[in-house]
């Protein structure tokens, strides 16, 4: 169990990250018919003339793939990146289980929706270049960096690994995505380790449909099994993260090394889970610098 000081700091970090009002996008586009199949776009705020092209940063939000946590909580982070001169795409996707009026409420929200969560991330990334050209003409899809926080960090790693999915996976691509790289923030990057640590109430197991389906679906969804990708990847992780502990990121980095791929791992002392997406936190500036190193 964490000591009182660490737990108190983690609570304060979470409160700070969620204290910012949502930031409205400059444009929103749909990549499908479901209400959650949308992408919000933020134009670069400074550092570029209207005729300049700028990198496109794709943001995938966290929240343990659970329905109550949507893209709004990460809009201050998206706006923060736009203030630093990037074009930003904030992707929404289907999460959890839809509750119809006749259904009994569940004791706690279910994490993820198989296969729809993965369907949506794949469809959004496939549609993104055309949608971005329309919404933000300055965005350069050739300089795309994926970033995501927590469960969104998992989805960023997974989206970059679609070309190494099993041959029968519906989301598999014929080759690597044209990405400059991935910056995954406290990602749920190794499902075995996450399960042992009961990360987010064993959300990864729920994402794959529970115990009945976990083993058969894990090779299609677990980033630690989808290596090497050949795409530059950096993980940013707080050493005092109580939500997704450091061991999860370290395990992914070790798996990458065993597969012959070097993955960057930036460990931040006295930093928990939420400062990575909090514009008021020093850790957020570190994240932006990691993104910039890949994007420019």
């Amino acid at each position: 169990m964490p000591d009182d000081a660490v737990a108190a700091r983690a609570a304060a970090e979470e409160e700070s990250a969620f204290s910012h009002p949502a930031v409205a996008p400059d444009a929103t586009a749909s990549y499908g018919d479901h209400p959650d199949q949308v992408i919000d776009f933020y134009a670069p705020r400074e550092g570029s003339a209207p005729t300049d092209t700028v990198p496109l940063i794709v943001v995938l939000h966290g929240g343990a793939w659970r329905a109550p946590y949507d893209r709004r909580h990460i809009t201050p982070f998206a706006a923060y990146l736009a203030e630093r001169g990037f074009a930003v795409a904030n992707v929404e996707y289907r999460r959890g289980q839809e509750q119809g009026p006749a259904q009994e409420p569940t004791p706690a929200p279910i994490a993820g929706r198989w296969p729809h969560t993965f369907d949506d991330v794949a469809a959004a990334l496939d549609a993104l270049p055309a949608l971005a050209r329309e919404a933000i003409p300055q965005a350069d899809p050739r300089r795309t960096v994926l970033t995501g926080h927590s469960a969104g960090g998992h989805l960023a790693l997974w989206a970059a690994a679609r070309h190494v999915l099993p041959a029968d996976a519906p989301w598999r691509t014929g080759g690597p995505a044209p990405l400059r790289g991935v910056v995954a923030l406290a990602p749920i990057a190794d499902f075995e380790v996450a399960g042992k640590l009961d990360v987010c109430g064993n959300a990864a197991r729920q994402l794959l449909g529970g115990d009945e389906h976990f083993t058969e679906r894990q090779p299609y969804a677990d980033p630690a099994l989808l290596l090497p990708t050949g795409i530059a990847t950096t993980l940013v992780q707080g050493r005092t993260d109580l939500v997704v502990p450091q061991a999860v990121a370290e395990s992914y980095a070790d798996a990458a090394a065993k597969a012959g791929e070097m993955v960057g791992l930036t460990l931040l002392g006295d930093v928990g889970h939420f400062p990575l997406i909090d514009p008021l936190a020093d850790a957020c500036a570190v994240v932006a610098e990691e993104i910039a190193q890949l994007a420019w």
Side-chain angles (χ1 to χ4, degrees):
M1 294 291 291
D3 62 40
D4 290 344
V6 173
R9 183 171 63 219
E13 290 172 341
E14 181 175 1
E15 182 179 4
S16 176
F18 283 87
S19 68
H20 310 291
V23 181
D26 296 303
T28 299
S30 297
Y31 63 88
D33 296 330
H34 192 278
D36 286 336
Q37 293 175 323
V38 295
I39 304 174
D40 289 338
F41 291 96
Y42 295 80
R45 300 293 193 265
E46 63 178 35
S48 63
T51 56
D52 291 341
T53 60
V54 299
L56 175 62
I57 312 304
V58 183
V59 175
L60 292 156
H61 70 81
W65 311 283
R66 292 189 167 111
Y69 306 101
D70 63 19
R71 70 193 185 284
R72 286 176 293 183
H73 77 269
I74 209 167
T75 60
F77 174 71
Y80 175 83
L81 295 178
E83 292 286 351
R84 297 178 76 98
F86 298 112
V88 182
N90 185 18
V91 177
E92 190 58 279
Y93 51 89
R94 283 174 285 183
R95 312 163 309 285
Q97 298 296 321
E98 291 184 298
Q99 293 284 334
Q103 291 178 294
E104 291 293 326
T106 54
I110 298 297
R113 195 184 313 175
W114 180 276
H116 305 101
T117 299
F118 298 93
D119 289 344
D120 287 359
V121 172
L125 270 292
D126 290 345
L128 185 62
L131 295 178
R133 280 193 294 269
E134 181 70 23
I136 310 177
Q138 291 166 274
D140 183 357
R142 297 169 300 176
R143 290 185 284 168
T144 297
V145 173
L146 298 185
T147 189
H149 179 240
S150 195
H154 157 265
L155 293 173
L157 293 171
W158 178 85
R162 289 170 61 196
H163 59 294
V164 295
L165 285 168
D168 62 341
W171 315 290
R172 182 181 170 99
T173 55
L179 300 172
R180 284 290 181 88
V182 178
V183 179
L185 314 177
I188 305 177
D190 184 314
F191 284 4
E192 292 290 347
V193 175
K196 292 175 183 177
L197 297 174
D198 194 30
V199 169
C200 300
N202 217 342
R205 189 166 291 268
Q206 291 180 19
L207 172 68
L208 302 192
D211 293 342
E212 179 182 358
H213 299 290
F214 182 80
T215 300
E216 66 182 272
R217 292 174 177 173
Q218 187 183 6
Y220 298 83
D222 187 345
L225 303 181
L226 299 173
L227 291 161
T229 67
I231 293 173
T233 300
T234 296
L235 312 186
V236 183
Q237 175 73 44
R239 288 186 178 274
T240 57
D241 191 330
L242 302 180
V243 180
V244 183
Q246 176 179 332
V248 179
E250 290 178 329
S251 181
Y252 177 85
D254 289 345
K258 290 175 182 176
E261 187 163 78
M262 295 304 297
V263 167
L265 178 57
T266 298
L267 298 173
L268 304 179
D270 294 326
V271 169
H273 193 63
F274 292 100
L276 304 178
I277 59 166
D278 184 350
L280 294 182
D282 292 341
C284 198
V286 175
V287 169
E289 181 58 31
E290 293 284 0
I291 291 171
Q293 288 181 19
L294 291 175
W296 290 106

